[in-house]
Amino acid sequence: MSRSALGLLVILAFLCGCQQQAPSSAASVEAGASPPSEAPKQAPFRITDVSTDRDRIDPVSGERVSIGYAIDAAAEVVLEMYDGRDALIYRSDPVQVEPGPHALGWNGHDASGEPVPSEAYHYVIRASSAAGEVVHDLTDSTGSEALLAHEPVWDAASGKLRFRLDHPARINVRFGLMDGPYVRTVVDWVARDAGDHELAWDGWDASRVMNLARHPMISPTVRAYTLPHNTVFVGEDADQVRFVAMRPLGTRDRKEKPQKTRMFFHADQPLETRGDVPVELTLLGDFERDEQGRHVVSGMVPVRLDVPADVRGRVLERRFEPVFFTDGIFVFETEVGVLPMTWNWDSTVVNPGEHYLTANIRGYEGNYGTATLRVWVEPAAGDASAVPTTEAAP
């Protein structure tokens, strides 16, 4: 047989084998194989080249932000502004545009015409036509990433904490004692732009019974989460989260929601309940007070831990550990907290005189709380030492 004839037979055999091994699409489906995937649905047109001419405006002085964009088809375009709750607080009148570059503007006022509070807001561009709708919204696809604050340094002489952020973010700043209790939340998830920052603290704890500004063990903690790229700052830096007073026009549904709670991942929590909680620390019983307002105690002292009624449900739902300290030294904790609860403090294990009782609530989702009591211990002959215990309040 010639080489050409042999080559032809090899090719024919190969083709026959391929036909036998490759079943039709219908046969594949009958055999349980996945049908071919559909081609991704194409948007009717595109919004591109979105940018702002500034990242901060002052509505009181008449400043406004211009949001530039390009569109590749004729459409009706609307600008929407949302606050940190994903509440719609402004919607522009729709404008019909032709293909090409355009710009939308916002003057920092809500839908009722009032200047919005100093805060961070995010913009959304909606374009629609007979072909469909396209939405430019970076709120879910950018931001919400943990951010490291660089070089946090506490300067006791000036009463300033200095640190640097590489990206716009929401920050939480707490002060505490190294290897001891946390004593004060100074700012709670407020918005800050990228750059160098200074934050003032007067040194007082949350209960204003201790000034720790010059304590050698004082330590700041800065936690931060990045803001989305479609953020516009309004006004000066605020010391607390604020929301627009008007009733929202609507809300923005997040495209991606976490399947389960992630511990200490604050960006998962609604902004209005993301912060730390106030703590109420009291003594049960009729204790006298001295001329400095200190409770005069001796022996076993029942200490009641609670939170205000309007936040109790949130604290219990997210679960927490109560932790107790005497003069900044750890004394007792339990992994399951109840509210209200009573901790029996044995004052006979400390020297007579002034002491500080501090309670920390450490929420499993990162929401903390703290309070401190100043007491005066009188010696009580015959008091026996006891291990501190907790009991659910009646």
Side-chain angles (χ1 to χ4, degrees):
M1 183 180 293
S2 66
R3 290 186 178 179
S4 59
L6 180 60
L8 180 58
L9 288 174
V10 172
I11 294 173
L12 289 173
F14 175 79
L15 292 176
C16 290
C18 290
Q19 290 176 354
Q20 293 173 357
Q21 294 174 7
S24 65
S25 297
S28 297
V29 174
E30 291 177 0
S34 299
S37 59
E38 296 181 0
K41 186 177 180 180
Q42 297 296 320
F45 43 84
R46 296 185 306 156
I47 298 174
T48 59
D49 302 329
V50 179
S51 63
T52 59
D53 65 342
R54 62 183 68 194
D55 62 2
R56 185 183 295 271
I57 60 173
D58 179 10
V60 177
S61 63
E63 293 180 352
R64 59 189 293 116
V65 59
S66 177
I67 304 168
Y69 68 98
I71 195 167
D72 57 9
E76 185 179 80
V77 179
V78 172
L79 173 68
E80 296 178 343
M81 300 300 303
Y82 294 82
D83 69 9
R85 302 167 297 178
D86 285 323
L88 178 60
I89 53 96
Y90 171 83
R91 180 190 288 121
S92 71
D93 292 330
V95 56
Q96 187 71 33
V97 301
E98 296 299 320
H102 301 277
L104 296 161
W106 183 52
N107 62 0
H109 289 66
D110 61 26
S112 65
E114 295 295 322
V116 299
S118 295
E119 246 293 341
Y121 300 84
H122 52 274
Y123 60 85
V124 173
I125 302 174
R126 294 184 183 274
S128 59
S129 72
E133 183 184 57
V134 172
V135 179
H136 176 83
D137 184 1
L138 301 179
T139 313
D140 294 327
S141 58
T142 62
S144 297
E145 298 293 335
L147 178 68
L148 178 66
H150 295 287
E151 304 170 1
V153 176
W154 167 243
D155 183 1
S158 64
K160 298 288 182 64
L161 172 67
R162 298 183 177 91
F163 58 93
R164 179 168 51 85
L165 299 174
D166 288 340
H167 302 278
R170 287 197 178 274
I171 65 169
N172 167 283
V173 177
R174 302 183 183 114
F175 280 86
L177 298 177
M178 288 185 285
D179 299 323
Y182 124 76
V183 297
R184 177 80 177 269
T185 299
V186 181
V187 294
D188 210 4
W189 302 116
V190 297
R192 289 291 186 269
D193 207 344
D196 295 324
H197 294 273
E198 284 189 349
L199 186 64
W201 178 47
D202 59 10
W204 287 97
D205 71 309
S207 302
R208 299 197 69 81
V209 299
M210 300 184 295
N211 192 304
L212 302 167
R214 296 183 177 276
H215 196 289
M217 300 293 285
I218 199 66
S219 176
T221 300
V222 182
R223 287 184 169 84
Y225 287 87
T226 57
L227 287 166
H229 294 172
N230 55 331
T231 295
V232 175
F233 290 90
V234 174
E236 299 295 327
D237 288 340
D239 58 359
Q240 64 183 23
V241 174
R242 295 183 173 92
F243 301 115
V244 173
M246 61 160 275
R247 183 176 181 179
L249 303 177
T251 57
R252 190 193 68 86
D253 292 330
R254 287 186 175 267
K255 297 177 182 177
E256 297 180 2
K257 295 182 180 180
Q259 297 299 314
K260 61 180 180 179
T261 300
R262 293 179 286 184
M263 292 181 64
F264 294 96
F265 204 89
H266 297 275
D268 286 350
Q269 301 175 12
L271 183 58
E272 54 268 42
T273 60
R274 189 177 299 177
D276 290 342
V277 296
V279 170
E280 299 170 351
L281 198 63
T282 56
L283 300 185
L284 293 179
D286 186 18
F287 292 93
E288 295 183 358
R289 290 178 180 263
D290 62 14
E291 63 279 1
Q292 296 187 37
R294 298 172 297 196
H295 293 282
V296 179
V297 301
S298 62
M300 298 299 295
V301 182
V303 183
R304 173 62 59 91
L305 171 67
D306 202 356
V307 300
D310 60 336
V311 299
R312 184 178 297 136
R314 170 162 64 96
V315 174
L316 291 172
E317 179 183 1
R318 296 177 179 177
R319 302 179 63 236
F320 71 97
E321 292 179 349
V323 188
F324 294 90
F325 303 82
T326 300
D327 301 327
I329 300 173
F330 168 79
V331 178
F332 175 77
E333 72 175 321
T334 179
E335 293 185 358
V336 179
V338 296
L339 289 174
M341 66 171 293
T342 301
W343 169 54
N344 292 312
W345 178 57
D346 184 5
S347 69
T348 65
V349 300
V350 300
N351 293 327
E354 183 177 81
H355 295 277
Y356 294 87
L357 305 179
T358 300
N360 278 182
I361 281 180
R362 295 180 178 175
Y364 288 165
E365 295 185 30
N367 311 103
Y368 280 29
T370 184
T372 297
L373 284 175
R374 189 168 62 138
V375 300
W376 181 270
V377 175
E378 292 282 0
D383 279 348
S385 299
V387 177
T389 60
T390 61
E391 60 182 13

